[in-house]
Amino acid sequence: MTASARRRPSGSHDRWMDLALDEARRALATADVPIGAVAVGPDGAVIGTGRNEREAHQDPTAHAEMVAIRQAARVLGSWRLDGCTLVATLEPCAMCAGAIVLARIPRVVFGAWDEKAGASGSVFDILRERRLNHWVEVYPGVREDECAALLRDFFAGHR
């Protein structure tokens, strides 16, 4: 984890994480891994929400972040999410990090680190890869314990 990965979250990040955690808990109803995300517009209004829906839709791309990004793009009427913030309960994977870069999202806030598949500073760091055409400001560890506990409890029940 680099020094730039240790940015200080704001009070808004904490409030938005509440919404992402609510989405994560909703994923339990379809036996999906409890990960949630919200996309916040430049004015601070929530413009997209998502939760893992891979099991619900048998869609390997139905990650919480992807669902929230798609919804935000529809709301804004543009694939460019300039000025937006994406908040997720788990560090984005390579697919989601790639979508974040392609959507030009300037800020990502996440809760728990994903030491097996994370692509925002743990295993990979796609969001700050200097060879790409867009870089993202990352705020990790927001409500990390709460986000991690939700995942731990889910997987403990599946072992």
Side-chain angles (χ1 to χ4, degrees):
M1 175 176 9
T2 64
S4 64
R6 285 282 177 203
R7 300 194 186 282
R8 300 191 96 166
S10 73
S12 296
H13 295 166
D14 193 59
R15 289 189 302 277
W16 294 331
M17 188 60 75
D18 265 336
L19 300 173
L21 282 161
D22 288 344
E23 285 297 316
R25 290 181 193 102
R26 287 185 184 104
L28 295 169
T30 55
D32 276 288
V33 177
I35 299 169
V38 295
V40 180
D43 63 354
V46 174
I47 57 173
T49 60
R51 61 185 165 273
N52 270 10
E53 297 180 339
R54 292 184 308 168
E55 298 297 334
H57 300 296
Q58 297 302 301
D59 178 355
T61 69
H63 288 202
E65 301 94 328
M66 300 294 284
V67 174
I69 289 169
R70 286 181 190 124
Q71 192 177 100
R74 282 192 302 271
V75 166
L76 293 180
S78 174
W79 61 268
R80 290 180 183 267
L81 301 182
D82 298 321
C84 295
T85 301
L86 184 72
V87 180
T89 58
L90 183 66
E91 177 185 5
C93 70
M95 175 183 68
C96 295
I100 290 163
V101 168
L102 292 172
R104 309 299 195 270
I105 296 172
R107 274 171 309 286
V108 167
V109 175
F110 70 83
W113 290 93
D114 185 347
E115 299 297 333
K116 293 182 180 178
S120 305
S122 60
V123 179
F124 304 105
D125 199 355
I126 292 170
L127 297 182
R128 290 172 291 215
E129 173 55 60
R130 291 292 170 198
R131 292 173 289 184
L132 297 176
N133 65 340
H134 176 75
W135 308 291
V136 179
E137 193 171 10
V138 178
Y139 296 86
V142 175
R143 314 257 306 263
E144 181 175 3
D145 293 340
E146 190 175 351
C147 293
L150 188 59
L151 291 163
R152 256 191 325 273
D153 293 348
F154 174 81
F155 286 115
H158 286 81
R159 289 190 176 110

